[in-house]
Amino acid sequence: MFNVGSGLGRIQLPPSTPLAGYQARKEASRGVHDPLCARALAIEYGGRCITVLSIDILYSDALLTRMIRRAAAGSAPAGAALDPASIMVCCSHTHSGPSRIFPESGSFDPAITDAITGAAADATARAWAELLPCRLYLGAGLVDGVASRRSDLAGRGATGPIRQRLAVAEFRSVAQGPSGAPRAAMRLVSLACHPTVLGPDNLVVSRDWPGFAVDECEHEMRASGTERAFAVFINGAAADVSTRYTRRAQTFDEAARLGRLAASGAARVAAAGRLSRTSGACLASEQITLRRRPLVGQEQALSAIAAAEAEAERLARCGADEIAVKESRDRAAAWRIVLKRAQNQSGPQGTPGAGPGAAPGGVVDAEINLARVGDLMLLFCPGEVAHETGESLVRAVAQGQGESPTEAIATAGSVAPTTPTAPTTPIAPIVPTVPAIGTVPAGSNAEVAAGNIWVVGYSNGHLGYLAPESAAPDAYERVMSSVASESIHEIAQAAMRLSSKGMCMDLC
């Protein structure tokens, strides 16, 4: 039995806040369509506390993550002494949220950051103020029509709409209402997909499709008789997954349609969810140091920009598909960011706030966290994780569960340690078999791979894109990557070590 609470904090942005997410967007916001939020889920078992904090921003760098954690931990009610390190800061990655939020960047507005940290504190305080005895139910399935692969990073011809994995963890209160439904239900929804229905021409603040999905989930739970309904969205391995091939327009109506589609899938998964076989809560963390990718020269970047722009113009003149034209323009945009890095040496992302995680000597520090809550395992990864990379990380966690830390690394040939100069071998992905919408047979390998291990991207810092080594050199995500290619192996090794040490329920 878990003690669980939930809390919501509104992010009250100043007027005319600049928006993040698109280079092509030059104007500040003109208003708010749907308010951004911080949503907190407080989980306690046997004195162990974990807070999952989901915030509607593009991402949080290392310094902002520390600020959010301090504010959230300091807001906890008396008797709930929270360790800041036990607070997992996850970002929805909305491209219609605020910029100028990173204190160590050249462009920073403390009023915006204060709004974010204040909302996180409010949400956390509310979550820990009223804990309810709950049982955990888990489910996973596939949902059509929401996500698409925008890049063929693995060279498998995978570009286009996909049946994306949707997973749900729902805490249901032991106490029931008159209808027999739980008085409270707190639903955690994982669906890896960029919140980019709204494009650069949108100038109003919005959570994009995940906001509509969360609202619809709560409406559906209340309609079924639950008095206190709460939903939290966490993004996954979404670096190369977006709505590019599934959206019919870039409007709020379309964001609402896709959000409702995701929420409908979540409702079906939740209805078929099964009770977690174990209780208990564990959190393990590891700091690792990754090598930065060397900055390219300005001449190379300028040449690549010119080539990508020329290709886009050629495709447009030939009447090529709009998506093909956009892909060439995306490559040009990526190389402009790379050029900016070369020009200002600002940090690994070449964007505001990229520098705080950086350490001297061409390396960057990263925090990897693995939480186990009952049968559910959550791997928190600080960056934009590509689809194949996410599969590799799931595999690493699963391997770690079956072997000791030494054995796991020694026997996992595809994720064996590498030296900076040694050629690397792509990690063999795990491809689980998952039903369209529903649960996976209890105890099966697919259950572990598809339903119980979640990769949570955009969490506890930001490394930028983590693309598989099989990605083409000129792929957008590969061009934008700021850490060396062996970083994926290093992260996978850390995941295995965390998984194989202290994650068994009998040790919690």
Side-chain angles (χ1 to χ4, degrees):
M1 196 80 68
F2 301 90
N3 294 312
V4 185
S6 58
L8 176 71
R10 303 279 188 187
I11 301 176
Q12 304 292 341
L13 296 173
S16 301
T17 294
L19 300 179
Y22 295 107
Q23 275 192 313
R25 183 192 279 137
K26 305 301 182 185
E27 299 180 57
S29 65
R30 297 178 181 174
V32 177
H33 180 274
D34 50 293
L36 307 182
C37 303
R39 291 173 175 266
L41 194 64
I43 305 167
E44 187 275 334
Y45 184 92
R48 291 181 173 85
C49 301
I50 299 173
T51 306
V52 178
L53 188 56
S54 176
I55 305 177
D56 293 315
I57 56 177
L58 189 68
Y59 66 84
S60 175
D61 67 6
L63 177 56
L64 181 57
T65 296
R66 291 196 294 271
M67 294 171 65
I68 292 170
R69 283 173 162 170
R70 284 197 300 267
S75 73
L82 297 183
D83 180 355
S86 71
I87 299 171
M88 301 294 100
V89 179
C90 313
C91 303
S92 72
H93 200 55
T94 176
H95 283 46
S96 295
S99 65
R100 298 185 181 177
I101 63 177
F102 302 112
E104 292 187 356
S105 71
S107 176
F108 168 61
D109 186 340
I112 299 175
T113 302
D114 288 347
I116 294 169
T117 57
D122 289 346
T124 304
R126 291 186 172 99
W128 284 100
E130 187 178 352
L131 301 179
L132 300 174
C134 294
R135 297 186 179 93
L136 172 61
Y137 292 81
L138 300 172
L142 296 175
V143 63
D144 287 312
V146 177
S148 62
R149 296 288 296 278
R150 71 181 187 188
S151 302
D152 184 19
L153 294 183
R156 300 175 184 169
T159 303
I162 59 172
R163 305 182 75 198
Q164 182 67 313
R165 194 193 81 157
L166 186 153
V168 171
E170 188 167 292
F171 293 93
R172 300 173 189 168
S173 65
V174 175
Q176 296 182 340
S179 68
R183 286 193 178 275
M186 288 153 275
R187 180 178 296 173
L188 193 63
V189 179
S190 172
L191 176 63
C193 184
H194 262 66
T196 49
V197 173
L198 304 172
D201 58 337
N202 172 55
L203 297 177
V204 291
V205 172
S206 175
R207 296 168 292 166
D208 209 287
W209 71 261
F212 292 98
V214 163
D215 292 347
E216 184 64 22
C217 281
E218 293 180 346
H219 174 75
E220 174 266 322
M221 287 189 282
R222 286 191 294 267
S224 67
T226 297
E227 298 169 8
R228 178 176 162 185
F230 191 79
V232 180
F233 166 75
I234 56 174
N235 218 326
D240 53 340
V241 182
S242 76
T243 61
R244 179 173 295 182
Y245 295 95
T246 55
R247 63 189 181 225
R248 300 168 182 170
Q250 291 196 276
T251 64
F252 286 103
D253 285 344
E254 181 62 5
R257 184 186 73 83
L258 291 180
R260 287 193 295 267
L261 188 59
S264 176
R268 293 194 294 274
V269 167
R274 62 168 182 78
L275 182 65
S276 175
R277 294 165 296 181
T278 60
S279 297
C282 297
L283 177 64
S285 304
E286 183 174 330
Q287 292 283 340
I288 61 176
T289 300
L290 304 174
R291 197 166 57 89
R292 291 188 196 173
R293 183 182 178 189
L295 292 171
V296 302
Q298 293 191 39
E299 183 176 344
Q300 179 185 353
L302 289 169
S303 175
I305 291 169
E309 289 178 339
E311 177 65 6
E313 292 176 6
R314 185 191 70 80
L315 291 171
R317 287 195 305 270
C318 295
D321 182 83
E322 181 181 345
I323 297 296
V325 176
K326 179 172 174 52
E327 287 175 349
S328 292
R329 288 174 177 161
D330 283 349
R331 282 194 292 273
W335 279 107
R336 288 191 190 96
I337 294 176
V338 171
L339 175 62
K340 185 177 179 181
R341 293 179 194 167
Q343 290 172 335
N344 60 26
Q345 304 283 311
S346 62
Q349 266 61 63
T351 54
V363 297
V364 60
D365 294 329
E367 176 185 337
I368 310 299
N369 297 273
L370 183 65
R372 180 160 188 173
V373 181
D375 293 346
L376 177 64
M377 301 193 74
L378 301 164
L379 179 66
F380 297 91
C381 189
E384 297 209 50
V385 183
H387 181 82
E388 274 80 14
T389 306
E391 290 177 334
S392 300
L393 294 176
V394 167
R395 177 173 176 263
V397 173
Q399 285 179 330
Q401 281 292 286
E403 300 170 295
S404 70
T406 302
E407 291 172 340
I409 296 172
T411 59
S414 59
V415 287
T418 59
T419 61
T421 57
T424 54
T425 304
I427 303 170
I430 184 169
V431 185
T433 301
V434 193
I437 283 292
T439 57
V440 184
S444 67
N445 291 333
E447 175 193 37
V448 174
N452 291 2
I453 301 175
W454 299 9
V455 173
V456 184
Y458 313 101
S459 55
N460 302 328
H462 194 66
L463 296 171
Y465 282 99
L466 296 170
E469 294 172 75
S470 58
D474 63 344
Y476 177 85
E477 292 83 2
R478 187 65 176 269
V479 170
M480 289 281 285
S481 179
S482 59
V483 292
S485 58
E486 71 268 12
S487 297
I488 294 170
H489 296 271
E490 300 293 337
I491 294 169
Q493 291 166 32
M496 280 195 291
R497 289 192 294 269
L498 292 172
S499 178
S500 57
K501 182 173 67 175
M503 282 290 114
C504 297
M505 286 294 101
D506 58 353
L507 299 179
C508 294

